[in-house]
Amino acid sequence: MGNIPDKIWTWQMVNPFKKDRETGEVTPGKLEETQIDVPVLQPGEVLVEVAGCGVCHTDLGYFYYGVPTVNKPPLTLGHEISGTIVATADDVASWNGKEVIVPAVMPCRKCYLCKTGRGNRCLAQKMPGNSMGIYGGFSSHIPVPAIDLCEVKNRGNIPLEKLAVVADAATTPFQAAKRADVQVGDNTIVIGVGGVGQYMVQVLKALGCANVVAIDINQERLDVMLKNGADFVVNSMGKTPREISGELKAFRKENSLPSTGWKIFEVSGSKPGQELGLALLSFTGKMVVVGFGPHKVEYSISRLMAFDAELIGSWGCLPEYYPSVLSMITSGKINFEEFVQTRPMSTIVESFDEAHKQSPDQRIVLVPDF
């Protein structure tokens, strides 16, 4: 068990990048190492000593693209968190010393959405690095409610800091699969296999999908996916949706697969990816939007009626699903260590810049080194 600190060391987002609408002039954002007070823990709360915190596309959205946070800067970003509990409120003392994963979104457990199984989109949910006051994962410690924590048991030789990716990159695909009502034997397509998409492919295969097709513009990523759950891959670089559809048609014909009922998971968050997913959506199919992008896409929604198809959004993951995903990882059903890299948290500025320029093939997890 770690020591209870006098102060919390943290990397705060003092201000995000800003662009003047009239002049186009960009004011750079600022991340600053600083100290903040350790709060008095309220009933039900614990203090987690951070082992690692993943750099997510959402963090980059807050910092580079002006996506607003609920709590305004200065605040600490970071919502993919693993760590060890070093202090607790009296009513949750049994959590002391446990290794945990902190869910990226924590529902209120009281509203109608929570009571009807949609707590992942609870409107009063708390998200580290966004709506938990000034507290986020790019810190030495973080106070969080105990009720939704996922205890880490039997992790074997897996470093605790690497398990931070369970808090978003690995669980978000599981929630998306649940939203699509994935069943054993389903035929599926994953568009975009960098970051979250790598886990989307593996989760679908672990849940028993008969066929998982991976589509990306990066051949190296596709080759890796063929070794980690994908049954067929399509390199979409420079190809039209019609050409890609032709390759999929040939795959279906060769394997005597139906053209109906396919479930498509758009994970790239890019306009071409989303347009491709919509072009591939056909009779009795489902398309789940997992990746985020600020752009607009034009689509004739009457096609949904004609195809009796569904277009679905998926946000975050219910905390109660975390143990299932963690079990998939610790049992080896999901290969995740190959897709994770760790760096000192003092490299946060450089790591943000690198991930902003190009999404890394290995999720960056920052380890506190204050």
Side-chain angles (χ1 to χ4, degrees):
M1 186 166 67
N3 298 318
I4 302 173
D6 296 324
K7 296 281 187 177
I8 293 174
W9 278 98
T10 185
W11 282 92
Q12 279 192 339
M13 178 176 71
V14 178
N15 53 265
F17 277 70
K18 294 180 181 179
K19 184 175 182 179
D20 189 287
R21 291 183 179 180
E22 294 183 359
T23 66
E25 184 179 354
V26 175
T27 303
K30 183 179 181 182
L31 297 168
E32 181 179 78
E33 184 181 16
T34 188
Q35 287 183 306
I36 56 177
D37 291 333
V38 178
V40 176
L41 296 177
Q42 301 303 306
E45 290 186 339
V46 302
L47 185 69
V48 175
E49 183 177 48
V50 176
C53 182
V55 177
C56 178
H57 182 74
T58 303
D59 297 311
L60 304 181
Y62 294 144
F63 188 56
Y64 290 102
Y65 301 121
V67 177
T69 51
V70 173
N71 291 100
K72 304 306 177 186
L75 84 162
T76 302
L77 300 177
H79 56 271
E80 286 187 355
I81 307 165
S82 61
T84 303
I85 295 174
V86 295
T88 73
D90 291 341
D91 60 332
V92 287
S94 62
W95 280 93
N96 220 339
K98 292 185 177 181
E99 295 182 341
V100 297
I101 295 166
V102 180
V105 291
M106 291 172 275
C108 74
R109 300 293 178 186
K110 299 175 182 178
C111 69
Y112 178 79
L113 289 176
C114 286
K115 292 177 180 178
T116 53
R118 300 297 295 275
N120 61 299
R121 190 55 278 187
C122 166
L123 300 184
Q125 67 185 205
K126 295 298 183 183
M127 180 180 182
N130 177 12
S131 57
M132 286 187 60
I134 60 174
Y135 304 105
F138 297 123
S139 303
S140 61
H141 299 76
I142 183 171
V144 294
I147 186 172
D148 288 323
L149 294 175
C150 175
E151 183 178 358
V152 176
K153 302 176 182 178
N154 305 317
R155 61 180 171 89
N157 295 323
I158 301 174
L160 179 60
E161 58 267 26
K162 287 191 173 183
L163 289 175
V165 299
V166 174
D168 190 358
T171 46
T172 292
F174 191 87
Q175 179 72 46
K178 287 291 186 181
R179 284 285 283 134
D181 191 27
V182 164
Q183 301 293 322
V184 172
D186 275 351
N187 295 311
T188 60
I189 296 171
V190 179
I191 301 173
V193 293
V196 174
Q198 297 166 336
Y199 296 102
M200 189 79 249
V201 168
Q202 296 189 78
V203 165
L204 292 173
K205 206 61 184 178
L207 290 174
C209 289
N211 289 282
V212 182
V213 176
I215 301 177
D216 201 284
I217 59 174
N218 185 315
Q219 187 60 45
E220 290 184 7
R221 288 178 175 176
L222 293 172
D223 291 340
V224 170
M225 287 295 95
L226 282 171
K227 300 175 183 177
N228 290 278
D231 299 280
F232 182 67
V233 299
V234 177
N235 189 326
S236 58
M237 175 65 77
K239 296 175 183 175
T240 66
R242 182 182 291 274
E243 291 171 328
I244 295 167
S245 180
E247 291 188 40
L248 293 174
K249 183 178 180 180
F251 171 71
R252 293 197 305 267
K253 183 177 180 180
E254 181 181 351
N255 293 276
S256 302
L257 300 176
S259 61
T260 60
W262 284 71
K263 295 176 180 177
I264 303 168
F265 298 85
E266 205 303 302
V267 193
S268 74
S270 68
K271 185 174 183 178
Q274 292 176 353
E275 289 176 336
L276 175 60
L278 291 168
L280 296 178
L281 184 60
S282 188
F283 293 96
T284 67
K286 294 182 181 180
M287 176 173 160
V288 184
V289 181
V290 186
F292 170 79
H295 47 266
K296 295 182 179 180
V297 173
E298 187 175 292
Y299 181 70
S300 174
I301 61 174
S302 293
R303 292 167 65 90
L304 297 176
M305 175 276 294
F307 291 149
D308 196 17
E310 297 176 60
L311 181 59
I312 306 169
S314 183
W315 169 266
C317 183
L318 282 168
E320 46 264 47
Y321 292 152
Y322 276 56
S324 295
V325 178
L326 179 60
S327 177
M328 287 180 177
I329 287 175
T330 56
S331 67
K333 291 182 179 180
I334 292 179
N335 171 14
F336 97 106
E337 287 203 70
E338 186 176 342
F339 305 111
V340 180
Q341 59 177 304
T342 57
R343 301 180 184 182
M345 198 167 284
S346 56
T347 67
I348 186 170
V349 174
E350 299 88 340
S351 295
F352 266 43
D353 182 61
E354 180 182 325
H356 172 232
K357 290 177 179 175
Q358 182 174 348
S359 178
D361 292 334
Q362 292 181 311
R363 191 73 149 197
I364 299 171
V365 172
L366 299 180
V367 178
D369 61 336
F370 296 99

